[in-house]
Amino acid sequence: MTEEVTPTTLREIKLRFLCQDDIDTVKRLCREWFPIEYPDSWYRDITSNKKFFSLAATCKGIIMGMIVAEVKSRTKIHKEDGDILASGFPVDTQVAYILSLGVVKDFRNRGIGLTLA
C-alpha cells in the first residue's frame, strides 16, 4: 500500500469526512495505531453521529491519517476542562475534544497530523 501511494507534498493530501464505507479501514488503522480496542458502535458513531467531527487525510483515495473529535457545548464539559478556557468565551461556546489522531507510520513527520489538528 505505502509504496504505491507516496505524497510528496501536503498539497497532494485531501481532507474529507469519514463515512460508513471507511469503517473497515478505520478499524484496521486504529488497531495499528492505538493500544485500545474500540467497540463496533464507536466506529458507527464516528462515521454517522453529528456530535463527532471525523476527518480523513487521503492521498489518491487512500486514508493516510485521521482525526476524531467530540464536539460539546461548554456547559457540558468537565469543570477542570472549563477552567483552562479563557473567561471571555460565551457560555454557548462549542468545544472540541480530540479523541483520536493518527497517521500511517510511513507518512509521519510530513505535517499530516498537524494539518488534521
Side-chain angles (χ1 to χ4, degrees):
M1 176 183 88
T2 55
E3 293 175 302
E4 296 173 15
V5 181
T6 307
T8 56
T9 69
L10 280 177
R11 282 179 271 163
E12 295 178 57
I13 298 294
K14 306 291 183 212
L15 299 180
R16 66 168 176 79
F17 290 105
L18 289 176
C19 64
Q20 290 197 334
D21 290 343
D22 297 319
I23 289 176
D24 289 340
T25 301
V26 171
K27 278 184 181 182
R28 181 180 52 76
L29 292 172
C30 285
R31 276 190 229 110
E32 290 174 16
W33 296 339
F34 309 120
I36 184 171
E37 186 72 28
Y38 294 106
D40 287 342
S41 60
W42 186 79
Y43 295 102
R44 286 190 302 273
D45 286 346
I46 66 167
T47 58
S48 62
N49 189 323
K50 299 256 187 247
K51 81 174 187 176
F52 295 104
F53 182 81
S54 306
L55 283 180
T58 66
C59 181
K60 299 177 185 171
I62 305 297
I63 296 176
M64 299 283 113
M66 67 168 208
I67 188 170
V68 177
E70 183 177 4
V71 179
K72 294 181 174 186
S73 168
R74 182 177 179 178
T75 60
K76 305 259 186 204
I77 63 175
H78 294 104
K79 181 187 179 328
E80 62 271 13
D81 295 333
D83 290 345
I84 64 171
L85 293 174
S87 60
F89 284 106
V91 175
D92 62 349
T93 297
Q94 295 292 300
V95 178
Y97 285 93
I98 296 176
L99 304 174
S100 297
L101 173 63
V103 176
V104 171
K105 186 177 181 178
D106 291 346
F107 299 100
R108 293 177 185 163
N109 298 311
R110 297 183 188 200
I112 295 171
L114 183 63
T115 299
L116 284 164

